[in-house]
Amino acid sequence: MMTLAQNEPNNGQPVMQTPPVVSPQDWEAARQQLLVKEKAHTRARDALAAERRRMPWMEVSKTYAFEGPGGKLSLVDLFQGRRQLIVYRAFFEPGVFGWPDHACRGCSMVADQVAHVAHLNARDTTLVFASRAPQADIIRLKQRMGWIMPWVTITDSFDADFGVDEWHGTNVFYRDGTRIFRTYFVKSRGDEQMGGTWNYLDITPLGRQEVWEDSPKGYPQTPTYKWWNWHDSYTEGAAPDKKWVEISDAGEKAFRQEAAEGRD
């Protein structure tokens, strides 16, 4: 075992106390040791998501109005016909650092991380950003930054009623016909993991909707991996591509075999 030079001058910067440098065999042993804890973390995360899917719901009885590129929208409209809605409150308005050229730097980093929304849409889920800036400014900002997620203007007490009038946050809603329910809320550091398709789905009441998940009876679930597609190729109601089914089945079989042998 050896270590990097720990005490050499570094242009006035604090000296880094780096870990030891080891052989490939010792490095792999250390990785396997850490992997045990990482797997426990993954299982705990899945269990937490399963518990989240069993949280009680709160019915939203008040009506809310937003402005979109085409005019006025209700909260029901934001679902775009889907059952699940995720609303991220982004700060872009007079008084916010960066206005009018930019939204809040933190909210902008969140926006930069958002995966292609087609994957969420394929799971009956709509993602919407909401701010108090007028639509003309939002449209200009989206074009400048290359963002494609729907982004509406808050016109009433929606932000105050759902805990995002003074700080960013993500609210999740479920629609049953015209009835709307608030199912989850996360803010502060909980928001920093948002952006990926999986993390968004894990905070929704229906989850990823794959058969391996621990979900309440009757929740929609489809075979694992089979619904995945290129973001420009989703077709509503289409059966999974046969070749992709073969490939994903083979991959899943290999993964399950490794898991059974403790090698994953």
Side-chain angles (χ1 to χ4, degrees), residues 19 28 41 54-55 65 75 91 108-109 124 126 138 151 172 183 187 197 200 210 217 220 225-226 242 250:
E28 181 60 27
H41 176 74
R54 291 168 171 82
M55 270 189 59
L75 184 57
F91 278 83
S108 296
M109 284 193 67
D124 209 7
T126 300
I138 290 175
W151 198 318
V172 184
T183 64
K187 64 176 183 176
T197 300
Y200 277 129
E210 294 186 336
K217 184 178 181 181
Y225 310 139
K226 305 304 182 290
K242 292 183 178 180

Side-chain angles (χ1 to χ4, degrees), residues 79-194:
F79 283 81
Q80 299 180 4
R82 302 183 181 95
R83 282 190 286 184
Q84 301 191 128
L85 171 67
I86 302 170
V87 181
Y88 175 73
R89 198 314 194 190
F91 278 83
F92 180 46
E93 59 197 60
V96 170
F97 177 67
W99 174 265
D101 296 325
H102 280 292
C104 156
R105 286 186 176 180
C107 295
S108 296
M109 284 193 67
V110 172
D112 278 338
Q113 296 178 69
V114 173
H116 203 291
V117 295
H119 303 296
L120 289 174
N121 297 164
R123 293 279 90 176
D124 209 7
T125 304
T126 300
L127 172 68
V128 174
F129 274 44
S131 299
R132 285 199 168 268
Q135 274 298 298
D137 292 298
I138 290 175
I139 292 170
R140 171 179 50 80
L141 179 67
K142 288 178 63 178
Q143 290 175 342
R144 173 177 179 170
M145 302 301 287
W147 297 328
I148 65 170
M149 75 287 285
W151 198 318
V152 298
T153 301
I154 301 168
T155 65
D156 50 29
S157 63
F158 175 85
D159 48 2
D161 292 349
F162 292 100
V164 288
D165 55 328
E166 297 181 353
W167 195 247
H168 63 87
T170 302
N171 278 281
V172 184
F173 302 92
Y174 182 86
R175 181 182 64 85
D176 183 4
T178 58
R179 297 179 70 190
I180 298 175
F181 305 88
R182 188 191 195 192
T183 64
Y184 190 65
F185 174 59
V186 61
K187 64 176 183 176
S188 301
R189 285 201 63 198
D191 261 354
E192 70 183 19
Q193 66 174 334
M194 293 294 103

Side-chain angles (χ1 to χ4, degrees), residues 19-33:
V21 177
V22 299
S23 68
Q25 295 77 16
D26 287 343
W27 184 90
E28 181 60 27
R31 190 188 78 88
Q32 290 295 329
Q33 185 177 13

Side-chain angles (χ1 to χ4, degrees), residues 1-51:
M1 180 185 300
M2 62 179 177
T3 60
L4 297 176
Q6 301 286 325
N7 299 309
E8 294 181 1
N10 191 27
N11 297 323
Q13 297 297 317
V15 176
M16 290 178 58
Q17 299 297 312
T18 58
V21 177
V22 299
S23 68
Q25 295 77 16
D26 287 343
W27 184 90
E28 181 60 27
R31 190 188 78 88
Q32 290 295 329
Q33 185 177 13
L34 184 60
L35 187 59
V36 173
K37 294 181 179 179
E38 291 176 335
K39 287 182 175 299
H41 176 74
T42 298
R43 288 189 289 269
R45 184 185 63 199
D46 290 341
L48 185 61
E51 185 174 350

